[in-house]
């Protein structure tokens, strides 16, 4: 528990302190957001707002994570390092995308093929890594099984698991990216999801098969350290939200959204809650589904279901205030997270 508190607190402090100078530097060098011409007209006022704030979220989380291990005098675990690798690696892909947008003064950065290649390289490294490094109990950071509340079904071949993990990684990172369209929306939703993984990691530690071979015990390799990772990212997101709340002084950019999406799916794979992520990240799923429905409907029928996709922009065009959309979407995400935690605890409830 000490490590969780130190990671969250140190990350929050770093993020909160570093954000103002980063905003000044980005303003000085005119590293501002380019707004899409086909987006809501109200967003034109956000043109030039500094972006790449995800840099500080990543720095805060990394310092918080390793600082927690220094404070508790414990070494980082393989599981924690692999999730941090996915987090930072996806952030690097996002940084390149953001930098190209700023340098070329356009709303599109990396070409889709190059962006996908970067995600695949980082994702493959993570996916292969989680199938290796067994501990003394033969537990690896991840497993080749599907998982909901724990592993189930027959194991997959390693190559098939790598493909499955890549699908999860690319889908989740892009889902968070799609959600990052209004001030504070993606950050607040991510904070709620990370709270769930702090709770899950802590519970899995208490019910670990290492401590007692009970019927419902967990074979997760490093549950406590995964909770520390989630707490470190949580603190960074809270510090960032202070400056990202409407009206935003800075955006996280693809640097932050791709990194946080990678972190979320990394936690899901290593805590054996792959399919539960559909509930814990329910808002991200809804927003991504709105894009899929919109594109599919237009291609099949030539008609649009929503005034604009992703879903948050549909409500903007219906006249909802930005803060109203953000708060109501936070409420929806909070309900999804509560449901996810309830499902996770369901098997422990008295029958």
């Amino acid at each position: 528990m000490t490590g969780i508190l130190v990671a969250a607190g140190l990350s929050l402090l770093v993020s909160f302190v570093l954000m103002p100078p980063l905003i000044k530097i980005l303003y000085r060098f005119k590293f501002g957001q380019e707004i899409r011409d086909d987006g809501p007209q109200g967003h034109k006022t956000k043109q030039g707002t500094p972006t790449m704030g995800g840099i500080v979220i990543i720095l805060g989380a990394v310092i918080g994570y390793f600082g927690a291990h220094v404070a508790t005098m414990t070494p980082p675990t393989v599981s924690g390092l692999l999730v941090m690798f996915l987090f930072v690696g996806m952030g690097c892909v996002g940084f390149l995308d953001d930098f190209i947008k700023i340098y070329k003064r356009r709303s599109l950065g990396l070409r889709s093929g190059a962006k996908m290649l970067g995600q695949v390289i980082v994702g493959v490294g993570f996916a292969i890594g989680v199938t290796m490094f067994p501990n003394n109990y033969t537990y690896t950071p991840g497993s080749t099984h599907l998982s909901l509340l724990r592993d189930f079904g027959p194991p997959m071949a390693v190559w098939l698991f790598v493909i499955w993990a890549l699908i999860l990684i690319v889908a989740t990172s892009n889902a968070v990216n799609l959600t990052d369209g209004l001030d504070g929306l993606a950050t607040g939703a991510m904070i709620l999801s990370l709270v769930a993984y702090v709770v899950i990691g802590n519970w899995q530690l208490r019910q670990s098969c290492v401590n007692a071979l009970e019927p419902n015990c967990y074979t997760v390799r490093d549950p406590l350290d995964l909770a520390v990772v989630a707490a470190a990212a949580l603190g960074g997101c809270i510090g960032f939200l202070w400056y990202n709340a409407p009206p935003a002084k800075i955006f996280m950019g693809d640097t932050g959204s791709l990194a946080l999406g990678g972190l979320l799916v990394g936690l899901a794979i290593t805590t054996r809650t792959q399919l539960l992520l559909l509930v814990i990240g329910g808002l991200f799923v809804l927003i991504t589904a709105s894009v899929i429905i919109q594109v599919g409907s237009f291609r099949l029928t030539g008609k649009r279901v929503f005034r604009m996709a992703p879903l948050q922009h549909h409500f903007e065009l219906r006249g909802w205030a930005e803060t109203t959309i953000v708060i109501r979407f936070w409420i929806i995400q909070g309900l999804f997270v509560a449901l996810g935690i309830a499902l996770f605890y369901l098997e422990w409830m008295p029958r």
Side-chain angles (χ1 to χ4, degrees):
M1 184 59 72
T2 301
I4 293 173
L5 294 176
V6 172
L10 184 56
S11 178
L12 171 61
L13 179 63
V14 169
S15 179
F16 195 80
V17 169
L18 292 184
M19 200 62 70
L22 176 65
I23 292 172
K24 291 180 180 179
I25 291 171
L26 293 174
Y27 262 124
R28 181 178 179 181
F29 290 97
K30 298 181 180 180
F31 281 11
Q33 179 71 41
E34 295 295 323
I35 303 299
R36 291 168 47 188
D37 293 331
D38 58 345
Q41 292 303 305
H43 287 205
K44 293 296 184 181
T45 58
K46 301 180 181 184
Q47 180 82 19
T49 301
T51 188
M52 294 196 295
I55 294 171
V56 171
I57 297 177
I58 295 170
L59 281 175
V62 169
I63 293 172
Y65 173 72
F66 287 104
H69 283 285
V70 171
T72 58
M73 292 184 290
T74 57
T77 66
V78 173
S79 299
L81 290 174
L82 282 169
V83 175
M84 292 300 288
F85 162 77
L86 183 61
F87 176 51
V88 175
M90 296 296 284
C92 289
V93 175
F95 176 82
L96 289 175
D97 190 50
D98 285 333
F99 184 81
I100 291 172
K101 289 177 186 175
I102 294 167
Y103 182 76
K104 295 193 174 181
R105 302 296 180 191
R106 65 188 193 190
S107 60
L108 296 175
L110 282 173
R111 296 184 182 276
S112 57
K115 191 173 182 179
M116 179 66 73
L117 178 61
Q119 291 174 308
V120 167
I121 291 172
V122 176
V124 167
F126 170 80
I128 293 175
V130 297
T131 64
M132 303 169 64
F133 309 108
N135 63 7
N136 294 334
Y137 300 92
T138 71
Y139 301 161
T140 52
S143 79
T144 56
H145 294 77
L146 290 174
S147 60
L148 177 60
L149 308 178
R150 59 183 73 248
D151 291 341
F152 68 87
M156 293 179 268
V158 173
W159 65 268
L160 185 58
F161 169 76
V162 170
I163 293 174
W164 167 242
L166 279 176
I167 292 171
L168 292 177
I169 291 167
V170 173
T172 307
S173 59
N174 287 313
V176 176
N177 185 248
L178 289 171
T179 305
D180 186 32
L182 299 181
D183 298 351
L185 178 58
T187 313
M190 182 58 63
I191 286 170
L192 293 169
S193 294
L194 290 172
V195 167
Y197 277 107
V198 172
V199 172
I200 287 171
N202 190 47
W203 181 256
Q204 288 177 333
L205 171 69
R206 296 175 185 277
Q207 307 300 331
S208 173
C209 294
V210 172
N211 300 325
L213 287 172
E214 297 179 354
N216 291 336
C217 66
Y218 297 100
T219 58
V220 175
R221 189 188 192 282
D222 306 296
L224 177 59
D225 206 35
L226 295 173
V228 171
V229 170
L234 173 64
C237 285
I238 293 173
F240 173 75
L241 183 60
W242 183 268
Y243 299 96
N244 185 235
K249 295 182 179 180
I250 190 169
F251 301 139
M252 70 168 68
D254 283 18
T255 306
S257 60
L258 293 186
L260 289 170
L263 176 77
L264 195 60
V265 73
L267 290 169
I269 290 172
T270 50
T271 59
R272 314 294 205 271
T273 55
Q274 298 164 16
L275 299 181
L276 188 64
L277 181 59
L278 292 172
V279 181
I280 292 175
L283 180 65
F284 306 123
V285 175
L286 281 181
I287 288 176
T288 304
S290 72
V291 175
I292 294 171
I293 291 169
Q294 184 84 326
V295 173
S297 175
F298 187 76
R299 288 183 177 178
L300 292 173
T301 67
K303 297 181 180 179
R304 293 180 173 86
V305 176
F306 307 104
R307 294 189 180 185
M308 187 176 182
L311 187 61
Q312 61 268 32
H313 299 319
H314 167 77
F315 290 104
E316 276 192 288
L317 296 181
R318 289 191 61 184
W320 288 23
E322 182 171 352
T323 51
T324 301
I325 299 169
V326 170
I327 292 172
R328 287 177 177 174
F329 276 34
W330 282 355
I331 292 171
I332 292 170
Q333 174 64 359
L335 293 173
F336 272 120
V337 168
L339 176 60
I341 293 175
L343 289 173
F344 181 76
Y345 278 112
L346 190 60
E347 62 182 352
W348 295 91
M349 297 295 180
R351 299 186 184 278

